[in-house]
Amino acid sequence: MILAANLKTNHTRQSVRHWLGDVESFMGREEITDTVAVFPPATALTAWCGKVAVGAQNAYPVANGSFTGEIGLDQLDEFGCKTILIGHSERRHVLGESNGLIRRKYDFFKEKGFTVYFCIGEPLAVKEQGFDAVMDYVKEQLVGIDTGYANLILAYEPVWAIGTGLTAEPSDIEKVHGAIKALCDKPLLYGGSVKPANAGAILKTPGVDGLLIGTASWKSNMFCDILSTAKSL
Ligand code: PGA
């Protein structure tokens, strides 16, 4: 399974080091062999040689240049970072990234060989129109994305479930994941208010290959609880 932690705009360089230390020692002690990744804020990127892959939450699709406030490939290379999150709903809906920009990011980092965690998922208004509308929306997000890329990991994250405490029902997750997998046979994570109490049921859902966890990953012990659940299945 694949378990990924999205720290968003939380933690500092120092606290990320503590987080990584906690998670790495837990993984060693409990012999966790799942794939684990963490996306810290850009200021806390770190050259890490442990079991946890340290990835970028975002980067602009250039090596360097005049893009005030952004980081590019050179800044990621400094830390040996080869993993990136692209298309997260907060980048799409809070920061206004278009499918076009997201495609450019995907193409750029794919070409550089990055492992790309690519997020898709519908807002509430689309969910309310039913399953076909959800799938149309998700398909649109995948237009122009090379889903044959070997290092692509997809994450289905319904926007209405992110950071809200609302989680999709396992039966809904199964239905959407089944339809996405019919389009593209890649590892497919679920994300949206995953926590220790619901992680087991979601991980047992057919078509779920792992989790992308926000809020419940910010405390290392909660994230480790979810790693334990994954191991016990
Ligand atoms: P959440 O965030 O677990 O806090 O809902 C998930 C995500 O944004 O990836």
Side-chain angles (χ1 to χ4, degrees):
M1 272 181 241
I2 302 170
L3 290 313
N6 178 6
L7 302 184
K8 308 193 182 187
T9 318
N10 300 283
H11 279 280
T12 59
R13 173 170 298 279
Q14 199 183 20
S15 69
V16 167
R17 284 196 170 269
H18 289 303
W19 189 101
L20 278 165
D22 292 348
V23 172
E24 289 278 354
S25 40
F26 182 83
M27 287 178 71
R29 221 171 35 243
E30 300 295 319
E31 299 177 345
I32 306 278
T33 54
D34 293 303
T35 299
V36 176
V38 63
F39 298 94
T43 53
L45 279 173
T46 184
W48 191 256
C49 302
K51 296 189 183 71
V52 180
V54 176
Q57 292 176 18
N58 174 51
Y60 206 65
V62 289
N64 51 57
S66 298
F67 303 96
T68 301
E70 295 290 316
I71 58 170
L73 184 66
D74 286 357
Q75 288 72 37
L76 299 180
D77 277 350
E78 186 181 7
F79 299 104
C81 177
K82 294 296 281 177
T83 303
I84 189 166
L85 194 61
I86 295 180
H88 188 275
S89 81
E90 285 147 18
R91 303 267 352 147
R92 292 176 186 272
H93 299 288
V94 180
L95 294 150
E97 284 190 12
S98 64
N99 282 340
L101 175 57
I102 289 165
R103 254 195 313 275
R104 282 206 284 131
K105 291 185 177 189
Y106 182 74
D107 287 344
F108 182 85
F109 288 103
K110 179 191 95 167
E111 204 254 315
K112 303 296 175 199
F114 274 60
T115 296
V116 178
Y117 285 68
F118 190 84
C119 301
I120 50 180
E122 82 288 356
L124 184 60
V126 174
K127 171 193 159 54
E128 284 169 347
Q129 291 164 39
F131 177 73
D132 289 345
V134 169
M135 285 314 300
D136 286 347
Y137 192 88
V138 163
K139 279 183 200 152
E140 184 69 31
Q141 292 177 317
L142 289 172
V143 168
I145 298 298
D146 172 14
T147 53
Y149 178 48
N151 299 328
L152 167 64
I153 295 167
L154 288 172
Y156 170 61
E157 298 205 303
V159 180
W160 50 270
I162 296 178
T164 57
L166 300 171
T167 316
E169 291 299 321
S171 56
D172 291 333
I173 298 173
E174 181 173 352
K175 201 169 167 194
V176 177
H177 275 228
I180 296 171
K181 278 196 172 272
L183 296 172
C184 160
D185 187 21
K186 287 287 161 188
L188 180 55
L189 316 186
Y190 172 80
S193 298
V194 175
K195 46 187 180 276
N198 61 20
I202 298 171
L203 283 171
K204 275 193 238 156
T205 303
V208 173
D209 302 309
L211 302 169
L212 178 55
I213 306 146
T215 315
S217 72
W218 301 344
K219 290 206 166 89
S220 58
N221 60 335
M222 277 177 101
F223 186 67
C224 290
D225 282 350
I226 295 174
L227 295 184
S228 277
T229 301
K231 188 192 168 191
S232 70
L233 294 176

